[in-house]
Amino acid sequence: MSEDDEPQDTDPATDREAGIYRGRSIARRFISPEGLVVLVGKKAADNDILSTRLGRPNDFWLHIASGPGSHVVVLNPEGLERMPKDTERFAAALAAGYSKASAGGQVAVHVATVGDVSKSRGAPTGQVSLRRSRTVHARPLRE
């Protein structure tokens, strides 16, 4: 998929790198050990925007396997096939840390691409479906 095929928000008040959508901050911003931008949704409505509007199909997406929590999107401007290992550990730990499972030990986290995430009509705010994913385990991290 070329950059021209990717959904683009042409609103000048949208800044993917900063987690800002139409002038509103919808995500916490972190930098992974390998230098990739990691965005963590702040609330359910922000999760929807992050996963369906701000994220691009080849960006990486993470969320705990069961229960409520923030959607995590790792921007992938280079079109990497796979997330770097330390970035994946970091992003999975953030997904666990910004969830209801944050007090637990190892937490199961789904890893997918934004292109594999969809929102069904009528689904509750923050709820999405995954076409395919894999599961990793991480200890919660909250910065």
Side-chain angles (χ1 to χ4, degrees):
M1 175 176 280
S2 73
E3 271 192 12
D4 295 334
D5 296 329
E6 294 175 354
Q8 300 281 325
D9 191 303
T10 56
D11 185 328
T14 294
D15 182 351
R16 259 174 52 87
E17 293 271 326
I20 296 172
Y21 182 75
R22 296 189 175 171
R24 189 169 67 82
S25 175
I26 60 144
R28 296 167 189 88
R29 182 180 186 272
F30 301 93
I31 301 296
S32 78
E34 286 96 355
L36 296 174
V37 174
V38 180
L39 301 174
V40 179
K42 292 182 176 180
K43 56 187 179 184
D46 297 336
N47 286 339
D48 280 351
I49 294 167
L50 181 59
S51 298
T52 64
R53 300 251 194 284
L54 211 55
R56 293 189 179 148
N58 69 334
D59 290 339
F60 302 106
W61 182 93
L62 301 92
H63 188 276
I64 64 168
S66 62
S70 291
H71 294 198
V72 175
V73 171
V74 179
L75 302 186
N76 185 16
E78 302 298 320
L80 303 171
E81 291 290 319
R82 193 163 177 98
M83 207 178 339
K85 188 177 287 190
D86 289 339
T87 293
E88 180 175 276
R89 285 187 190 124
F90 179 70
L94 289 172
Y98 287 92
S99 75
K100 296 291 184 187
S102 62
Q106 290 281 340
V107 176
V109 177
H110 289 311
V111 180
T113 63
V114 170
D116 287 323
V117 176
S118 62
K119 177 100 179 145
S120 300
R121 182 174 294 219
T125 305
Q127 184 177 346
V128 296
S129 299
L130 299 177
R131 186 175 18 229
R132 65 179 158 247
S133 67
R134 58 190 179 80
T135 303
V136 298
H137 292 84
R139 291 199 181 282
L141 170 66
R142 194 170 180 126
E143 294 188 347

